[in-house]
Each structure stands twice: as structure tokens, then as C-alpha cells.
Amino acid sequence: MARFRRPITALLAGAVSLLAVAAAAPAASAATAANTTTAASAATPSTAKPTVVLVHGAFADASSWNGVAERLQRRGHTVIATANPLRGLASDAAYTADLLKSIKGPVVLAGHSYGGAVITNAARGNDNVKALVYVAAFLPESGESAADLAGKYPGSTLGETLQEVPLAGGGTDLYVQQSKFRKQFAHDVPARAARLMAATQRPITAAALNEASAAPAWKDIPSWALIPTGDKNIPAAAQRFMAKRADARAVVEVKDASHAVLVSRSDAVADLIERAAAQR
């Protein structure tokens, strides 16, 4: 038996060594995992894409952004298409500002039509908002209203298509007459989709369209603008004037597109928002 003692001792020593290695392996793996997690966490703030907040305008609802939102989501953005109350400029802007304050990290804020006036006021003083994107939208200066700007240049035919609904508490809601909706608002949207848009449109108060803007955020936050040249709500000339005054970093014109360009040309709109998100 004596001749087997040395090999057995050697085997036991080897086993102890293997157990020590095995015990050390999980610790090393855990340390590696911890280092990897730390590195990934450190990389997140610089690589995460901005949240995109989309604000619809009058005679529409948040679903008008569906095509744009889908494209941006595929590109890795978190997207929030908020429900704009359309009750008054100051209150609508405050509502949107509250949403913005709840979002951590950088934000790209886009507005369509009257939604442009809302984002102009909602983003003021919010350092997380890195870009403003105006889509067939108003870019008011302090003291200007959407109604003022719509009438600044000839070409808008919106007034003759509106239906007024008096409100019990005072004031008036405005709708686009359904029979005139597609021609006025969405001539390049398929007829079936335009009929649904007309049926589901949300009204805006006359007071909201006539309410003066406060100091504009576009004086401090870079802006981008998309102008549909076939717009019958806000003349293209008015949109060019506003974009130039705001010193927009890029202005994209979509030939013959309607006021509902976010529906008919959601690709072009998403591309511009992506450019703004990348600050180029």
C-alpha cells in the first residue's frame, strides 16, 4: 500500500487545486460581468437616442403622427405623441411643458400646424429640449397669434371651410366641414383615410387660434422646418417667412404636399426629425 500513498497524495493535491480554481472562476466571471455592466451603463447616456415628442395641431389628433412615429421607433427612438387639448395656447403649452418635465434625457420636440405655436411656448426654459421641428407649422414671435400668421400672406382658404359650434360655457369650437375636409386639409391623402380623418378630427377653440404667443423658444433652441408647398391652411410663403425669421438650421420643402403632410409624407417628416435628433 505504501507505494500508492504518494500518487494518492498527489491526486488529492490536484483536486484541491481544481476546487480552488473552480471557486475562483465564478468570482472572476462576476467581476467581468460587473465591469461589463458598468461599461455599458457608462456608455448609455452618450449613445441613447433622444425621446421624440410629437404635438398635433387643430382638426387632427395624435394618430395623425402614426406613420412618423412608426418610422422613428424603428430607428430606435422612444416616441410620445401627446394629446394636445386645443383649448388655449397658454394652457395647451403648460400641459405639454408638464409632459416634457417628466422625461429624462434629451428631447426632440415636433409640432404640426397649431402644434408649432404650442411647442414654441412649451419648450421655453427646458434645457432637455435640444431641437424644435416645425411641420407645416406656426413659429410665432411674442405677441403673434396663429390667426395673425395664417393671414399674413394670401392663399389660406381655411376660413370658408370652418363650422362653428357654440359652447355652453362660452366660446366657440371650430371644425373643418367634413364635406370640404379632404380638399382643404388633406388633398394628397387617400380618400378613405381622409374621410376617417374628417370624422375623427378634434376641434380647436377660436380663442386658441387668436391667443398671442409669449416669448418663443426658437430664439434659444435650434429649429428645423418642413414646408408643404400645397398647404391651403398656412400659405407656404408664411411658413418660409417664419422659418427664415427663426433662422432654422434646415428647411425642407415638399412639393405640392397638403397641410396633412405628416400623413401623406411621413417619410420626409421622419427624416427631418431624425436629422434634428442628430443635430445636422
Side-chain angles (χ1 to χ4, degrees), residues 25-97:
S29 298
T32 302
N35 290 337
T36 302
T37 301
T38 301
S41 298
T44 299
S46 59
T47 58
K49 290 194 170 187
T51 297
V52 178
V53 177
L54 306 171
V55 182
H56 69 82
F59 321 118
D61 64 12
S63 69
S64 60
W65 289 107
N66 282 356
V68 175
E70 182 181 16
R71 284 171 168 79
L72 293 172
Q73 286 174 333
R74 286 204 303 259
R75 298 174 192 181
H77 289 280
T78 296
V79 180
I80 302 171
T82 186
N84 187 357
L86 306 176
R87 300 294 86 190
L89 182 55
S91 61
D92 294 344
Y95 176 90
T96 305

Side-chain angles (χ1 to χ4, degrees), residues 61-146:
D61 64 12
S63 69
S64 60
W65 289 107
N66 282 356
V68 175
E70 182 181 16
R71 284 171 168 79
L72 293 172
Q73 286 174 333
R74 286 204 303 259
R75 298 174 192 181
H77 289 280
T78 296
V79 180
I80 302 171
T82 186
N84 187 357
L86 306 176
R87 300 294 86 190
L89 182 55
S91 61
D92 294 344
Y95 176 90
T96 305
D98 287 343
L99 170 65
L100 296 174
K101 291 172 189 173
S102 74
I103 300 171
K104 297 183 187 298
V107 172
V108 173
L109 183 57
H112 172 243
S113 190
Y114 166 80
V118 173
I119 70 171
T120 293
N121 288 267
R124 191 174 53 251
N126 188 324
D127 293 337
N128 281 347
V129 179
K130 304 302 183 185
L132 300 171
V133 183
Y134 293 88
V135 180
F138 294 108
L139 293 77
E141 173 62 277
S142 179
E144 292 178 338
S145 70

Side-chain angles (χ1 to χ4, degrees), residues 4-279:
F4 291 108
R5 285 176 186 167
R6 182 166 181 153
I8 290 172
T9 302
L11 287 170
L12 288 172
V16 170
S17 297
L18 287 171
L19 287 172
V21 170
S29 298
T32 302
N35 290 337
T36 302
T37 301
T38 301
S41 298
T44 299
S46 59
T47 58
K49 290 194 170 187
T51 297
V52 178
V53 177
L54 306 171
V55 182
H56 69 82
F59 321 118
D61 64 12
S63 69
S64 60
W65 289 107
N66 282 356
V68 175
E70 182 181 16
R71 284 171 168 79
L72 293 172
Q73 286 174 333
R74 286 204 303 259
R75 298 174 192 181
H77 289 280
T78 296
V79 180
I80 302 171
T82 186
N84 187 357
L86 306 176
R87 300 294 86 190
L89 182 55
S91 61
D92 294 344
Y95 176 90
T96 305
D98 287 343
L99 170 65
L100 296 174
K101 291 172 189 173
S102 74
I103 300 171
K104 297 183 187 298
V107 172
V108 173
L109 183 57
H112 172 243
S113 190
Y114 166 80
V118 173
I119 70 171
T120 293
N121 288 267
R124 191 174 53 251
N126 188 324
D127 293 337
N128 281 347
V129 179
K130 304 302 183 185
L132 300 171
V133 183
Y134 293 88
V135 180
F138 294 108
L139 293 77
E141 173 62 277
S142 179
E144 292 178 338
S145 70
D148 293 335
L149 290 165
K152 190 173 184 67
Y153 291 84
S156 176
T157 54
L158 177 63
E160 61 204 59
T161 71
L162 294 179
Q163 176 183 349
E164 297 185 359
V165 177
L167 301 174
T172 303
D173 261 352
L174 301 174
Y175 294 80
V176 175
Q177 297 172 49
Q178 291 194 30
S179 62
K180 299 178 180 178
F181 187 93
R182 187 176 184 230
K183 181 178 180 181
Q184 175 62 38
F185 197 89
H187 65 254
D188 53 353
V189 174
R192 182 178 179 184
R195 283 195 298 272
L196 289 173
M197 290 172 65
T200 60
Q201 67 177 294
R202 292 187 47 225
I204 188 168
T205 65
L209 291 178
N210 286 283
E211 185 175 339
S213 176
W218 49 255
K219 288 191 173 181
D220 302 308
I221 301 172
S223 61
W224 282 253
L226 184 141
I227 301 171
T229 64
D231 196 328
K232 296 176 182 176
N233 281 23
I234 311 172
Q239 295 182 50
R240 292 184 190 108
F241 161 77
M242 291 183 282
K244 182 177 180 180
R245 181 176 63 180
D247 194 24
R249 292 201 175 179
V251 178
V252 173
E253 295 200 0
V254 182
K255 185 174 174 57
D256 297 330
S258 72
H259 190 63
V261 64
L262 72 172
V263 178
S264 64
R265 291 298 310 275
S266 56
D267 56 337
V269 174
D271 286 348
L272 184 61
I273 293 173
E274 182 72 12
R275 286 176 62 184
Q279 296 286 310

